[in-house]
């Protein structure tokens, strides 16, 4: 771990290249120099890394891709957000000691501030400019990720930049982009849904082409925030500036009137004609299934490709959990939902966890209940957000003594604080994700939502048998007490722990930590 002086002398992160240098310094980057094929093999290497190494997975820089040799574009970077530690580094949190709760709390604060971008006249992303017959998006090592995919996907870790037709609102979103050919792309979004879909309807109503820019190889904050759920009308450049602590530099596109990241590795410019569609997909999406029905999607006709010298292409593998989009979405959505709950006046929120192991279909909210039906109030807010169309199918509300990030603790609460006939509620046929594999093809776009209230019953009366200090002792409680040791015993054992000489075994099956480890933390660390 670097000392404070070393931290102070670190190069600031303001583009992909400075980010790569930081990851190199932190020993979080692996250079893959073995020859790999862009067709399935590269993604297979990434998939095995995530599946076997989990949260210890490094970021990967592939430098020997079949068919792509220097001096032409020949590098692919992937995996920047597969590690919570790397997100900590980006947020200036200690990657060794911080928790996901720390990340969420930092993000929810940063999301409330805005620093607008700074427009510059010249930019590294314009070092090389391809127009007309020179356009070829496949000059970059674009992978085919899964053998059932409908094609190669140029947009998986990027920012799609569009502008509202009736205002100055610029939107950055992470919408998948498939290659039809060297000059035509398919972009997956649903008209009228998501921010880009709302902007698109205005262009369609006027029958005007919609300018679009696809920026790849970014300051990691931009890719991170592009996947978020900032409110409509708020520009992601502004939130990324808040995360950075200074403005993001942008430059006007060469063929589109859009601000693009000045230090991006690659920008693909073009237009979407509201009358043009072409079949897109399927794609191995975030649930880990091919649950959607392939179909017509808006078509992008490319008008220019600009890039830096020796550009680094960037990608992200989707599919079964846990991949980097699950990781960044888990903390991103948790922070935005926590802010939404507070904005809507819901009291007592202690923590919010969008569960990556469930591809973020599970959300757990920890609360200190203050009113009857507190869990229902939470559900009405969570399911009223735009993200709920894609996520949060199952909502679990737990008491403040439960760590919502610990699936073991959540399972314990569900087992012993839930009475099914009272605490499990189903909302049928809500608007939902068209990617859900459990929904029949004919019913895509709808799903059932479930609220599981795993908090202690609100209406029970205190009973002496559940006394805080024992049967008939101390304050009567409303619910049977847990078997948590008393604080004096915890303090004594913690103080003498090193003297007991107890060490973990070298080989074991399962997790190296118990689910109630937070009981043994100092009280101030449990806040």
């Amino acid at each position: 771990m670097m000392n404070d002086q070393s931290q102070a002398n670190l190069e600031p992160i303001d583009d992909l290249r400075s980010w790569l240098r930081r990851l190199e310094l932190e020993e979080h980057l692996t250079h893959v120099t073995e020859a790999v094929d862009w067709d399935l093999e590269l993604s297979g290497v990434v998939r095995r890394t995530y599946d076997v190494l989990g949260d210890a997975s490094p970021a990967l820089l592939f430098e020997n891709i079949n068919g792509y040799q220097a001096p032409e574009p020949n590098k692919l970077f992937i995996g920047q957000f597969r590690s919570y530690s790397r997100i900590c580094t980006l947020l200036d949190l200690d990657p060794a000691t911080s928790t996901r709760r720390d990340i969420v709390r930092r993000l929810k604060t940063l999301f409330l501030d805005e620093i607008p971008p700074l427009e510059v006249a010249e930019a590294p992303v314009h070092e090389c400019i391809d127009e007309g017959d020179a356009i070829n998006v496949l000059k970059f090592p674009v992978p085919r990720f899964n053998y059932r995919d409908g094609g190669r996907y140029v947009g998986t870790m990027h920012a799609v930049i569009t502008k509202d037709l009736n205002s100055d609102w610029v939107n950055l979103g992470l919408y998948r982009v498939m290659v039809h050919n060297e000059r035509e792309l398919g972009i997956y979004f649903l008209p009228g849904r998501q921010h880009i879909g709302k902007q698109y309807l205005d262009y369609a109503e006027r029958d005007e082409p919609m300018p679009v820019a696809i920026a790849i190889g970014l300051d990691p904050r931009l890719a991170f925030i592009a996947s978020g759920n900032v409110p409509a009308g708020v520009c992601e450049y502004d939130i990324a500036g808040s995360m950075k602590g200074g403005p993001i530099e942008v430059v006007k596109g060469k063929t589109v009137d859009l601000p693009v990241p000045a230090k991006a590795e690659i920008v693909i410019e073009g237009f979407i004609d509201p009358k043009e569609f072409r079949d897109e997909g399927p794609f191995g999406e975030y649930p880990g299934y091919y649950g959607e029905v392939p179909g017509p999607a808006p078509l992008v006709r490319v008008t220019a490709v600009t890039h830096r010298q020796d550009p680094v292409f960037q990608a992200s593998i989707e599919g079964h959990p846990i991949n980097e989009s699950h990781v960044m979405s888990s903390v991103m959505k948790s922070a935005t939902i926590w802010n939404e709950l507070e904005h809507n006046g819901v009291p007592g929120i202690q923590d919010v966890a969008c569960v990556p192991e469930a591809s973020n279909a599970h959300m757990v909210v920890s609360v200190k209940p203050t009113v009857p039906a507190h869990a229902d109030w939470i559900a009405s807010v969570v399911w009223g957000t735009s993200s709920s169309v894609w996520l949060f199918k199952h909502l679990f509300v737990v008491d403040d003594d439960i760590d919502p990030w610990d699936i073991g603790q959540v399972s314990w609460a569900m087992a012993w604080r839930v009475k099914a006939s009272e605490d499990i509620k189903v909302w049928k046929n809500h608007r939902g994700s068209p990617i859900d594999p459990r929904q029949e093809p004919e019913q895509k776009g709808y799903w059932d939502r479930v609220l599981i209230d795993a908090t202690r019953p609100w209406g029970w009366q205190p009973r002496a048998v559940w006394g805080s200090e024992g049967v008939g002792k101390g304050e009567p409680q409303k619910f049977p007490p847990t078997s948590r040791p008393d604080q004096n015993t915890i303090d004594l054992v913690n103080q003498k722990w090193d003297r007991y000489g107890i060490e973990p075994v070298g080989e074991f099956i399962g997790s190296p930590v118990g689910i109630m480890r937070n009981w043994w933390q100092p009280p101030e660390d449990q806040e």
Side-chain angles (χ1 to χ4, degrees):
M1 186 181 301
M2 291 179 289
N3 58 35
D4 292 341
Q5 185 62 40
S6 299
Q7 290 279 3
N9 295 330
L10 286 173
E11 174 189 10
I13 299 166
D14 65 355
D15 64 359
L16 181 61
R17 299 185 183 201
S18 55
W19 178 230
L20 289 172
R21 290 190 288 270
R22 176 68 66 87
L23 296 181
E24 189 92 63
L25 185 64
E26 301 280 0
E27 299 182 347
H28 267 254
L29 180 67
T30 294
H31 296 259
V32 181
T33 57
E34 173 68 18
V36 299
D37 202 298
W38 57 264
D39 191 5
L40 302 182
E41 182 186 2
L42 185 149
S43 63
V45 173
V46 178
R47 189 73 269 175
R48 188 187 190 281
T49 301
Y50 293 173
D51 290 348
V52 175
L53 300 184
D55 293 332
S57 297
L60 305 172
L61 183 63
F62 289 88
E63 301 176 322
N64 189 359
I65 302 168
N66 292 346
Y68 293 90
Q69 301 301 319
E72 298 302 314
N74 69 320
K75 300 181 184 66
L76 183 147
F77 174 59
I78 196 166
Q80 62 179 356
F81 295 131
R82 180 54 190 90
S83 163
Y84 288 103
S85 293
R86 291 193 281 278
I87 295 176
C88 287
T89 297
L90 189 62
L91 298 175
D92 293 325
L93 294 171
D94 187 338
T97 61
S98 298
T99 65
R100 287 177 288 192
R101 186 182 189 184
D102 296 327
I103 296 173
V104 172
R105 284 189 161 183
R106 173 66 63 87
L107 287 173
K108 69 186 292 288
T109 300
L110 292 172
F111 290 170
L112 297 176
D113 197 8
E114 299 176 23
I115 299 179
L118 173 67
E119 185 168 341
V120 297
E122 298 181 356
V125 75
H126 287 161
E127 290 172 349
C128 302
I129 302 171
D130 296 338
E131 297 182 84
D133 292 341
I135 294 172
N136 179 9
V137 298
L138 293 177
K139 72 186 292 183
F140 309 108
V142 179
R144 184 165 76 106
F145 290 97
N146 305 289
Y147 73 95
R148 293 181 182 272
D149 287 357
R152 299 167 72 173
Y153 275 80
V154 71
T156 53
M157 179 59 72
H158 60 303
V160 175
I161 304 163
T162 53
K163 184 177 182 296
D164 186 60
L165 190 57
N166 302 308
S167 71
D168 294 330
W169 172 34
V170 173
N171 181 67
L172 278 69
L174 205 163
Y175 315 105
R176 75 185 194 218
V177 181
M178 189 180 89
V179 177
H180 289 305
N181 56 53
E182 292 87 346
R183 298 180 182 85
E184 295 178 326
L185 309 173
I187 182 168
Y188 179 79
F189 67 83
L190 303 178
R193 293 166 67 176
Q194 307 155 284
H195 292 168
I196 189 175
K198 295 175 182 177
Q199 293 179 339
Y200 169 87
L201 287 182
D202 290 333
Y203 286 90
E205 184 177 348
R206 294 195 193 180
D207 195 22
E208 292 185 18
M210 180 180 185
V212 61
I214 301 162
I216 303 168
L218 304 170
D219 178 325
R221 303 174 186 90
L222 285 174
F224 189 85
I225 198 65
S227 71
N229 186 40
V230 302
V234 176
C235 180
E236 284 78 4
Y237 279 132
D238 298 358
I239 306 300
S242 173
M243 293 177 66
K244 179 183 176 182
I248 301 292
E249 291 187 358
V250 297
V251 66
K252 185 177 178 180
K254 288 298 182 180
T255 62
V256 294
D257 185 17
L258 292 171
V260 303
K263 295 183 179 180
E265 295 291 312
I266 303 160
V267 171
I268 302 171
E269 302 178 5
F271 289 85
I272 300 173
D273 189 320
K275 297 187 297 293
E276 287 194 292
F277 294 85
R278 192 169 299 173
D279 283 351
E280 183 272 346
F283 183 63
E285 268 286 4
Y286 65 91
Y289 295 88
Y290 284 85
E292 66 182 323
V293 178
L299 179 70
V300 179
R301 293 192 181 275
V302 179
T303 52
V305 175
T306 72
H307 62 85
R308 300 176 73 158
Q309 296 283 356
D310 192 23
V312 179
F313 185 76
Q314 189 171 10
S316 173
I317 189 169
E318 295 300 320
H320 62 267
I322 297 175
N323 59 52
E324 59 180 314
S325 70
H326 295 131
V327 170
M328 66 178 181
S329 181
S330 71
V331 291
M332 175 78 69
K333 304 301 186 187
S334 298
T336 55
I337 290 297
W338 197 337
N339 278 337
E340 285 287 346
L341 289 165
E342 291 185 348
H343 176 74
N344 283 276
V346 181
I349 304 300
Q350 303 299 302
D351 202 353
V352 178
C354 196
V355 181
E357 292 87 349
S359 301
N360 301 318
H362 291 349
M363 170 161 278
V364 187
V365 177
S366 173
V367 64
K368 186 175 290 185
T370 59
V371 293
H374 206 141
D376 299 72
W377 189 2
I378 291 170
S380 67
V381 172
V382 171
W383 291 338
T385 63
S386 59
S387 287
S388 69
V389 173
W390 303 93
L391 304 168
F392 324 143
K393 182 166 65 165
H394 304 136
L395 175 63
F396 308 85
V397 181
V398 297
D399 290 297
D400 58 314
D401 66 326
I402 300 296
D403 179 357
W405 293 100
D406 191 312
I407 300 303
Q409 289 193 28
V410 174
S411 178
W412 182 59
M414 288 172 57
W416 302 112
R417 299 183 188 179
V418 171
K419 183 178 181 181
S421 61
E422 297 178 7
D423 298 324
I424 300 178
K425 300 174 182 178
V426 179
W427 280 259
K428 298 187 67 175
N429 296 322
H430 266 213
R431 180 58 87 173
S433 172
I435 296 174
D436 184 2
R438 179 57 182 84
Q439 199 72 341
E440 299 92 331
E442 298 78 16
Q443 299 294 323
K444 290 298 180 184
Y446 297 89
W447 58 16
D448 294 349
R449 299 190 186 277
V450 177
L451 167 65
I452 299 180
D453 182 356
T455 59
R456 302 177 183 94
W458 173 264
W460 283 11
Q461 296 301 311
R463 290 172 168 82
V465 70
W466 300 331
S468 59
E469 307 301 326
V471 176
K473 300 177 182 179
E475 293 293 326
Q477 305 294 304
K478 290 185 176 183
F479 197 75
T482 71
S483 59
R484 181 183 185 274
D486 67 276
Q487 192 61 47
N488 288 336
T489 300
I490 289 173
D491 293 343
L492 174 65
V493 173
N494 281 343
Q495 181 182 1
K496 296 178 61 178
W497 183 252
D498 291 341
R499 293 155 58 183
Y500 299 133
I502 302 172
E503 298 291 340
V505 298
E507 296 182 1
F508 57 88
I509 296 173
S511 174
V513 293
I515 68 172
M516 298 305 181
R517 59 190 177 280
N518 60 314
W519 283 1
W520 298 92
Q521 296 172 343
E524 61 271 16
D525 292 344
Q526 300 177 36
E527 293 299 320

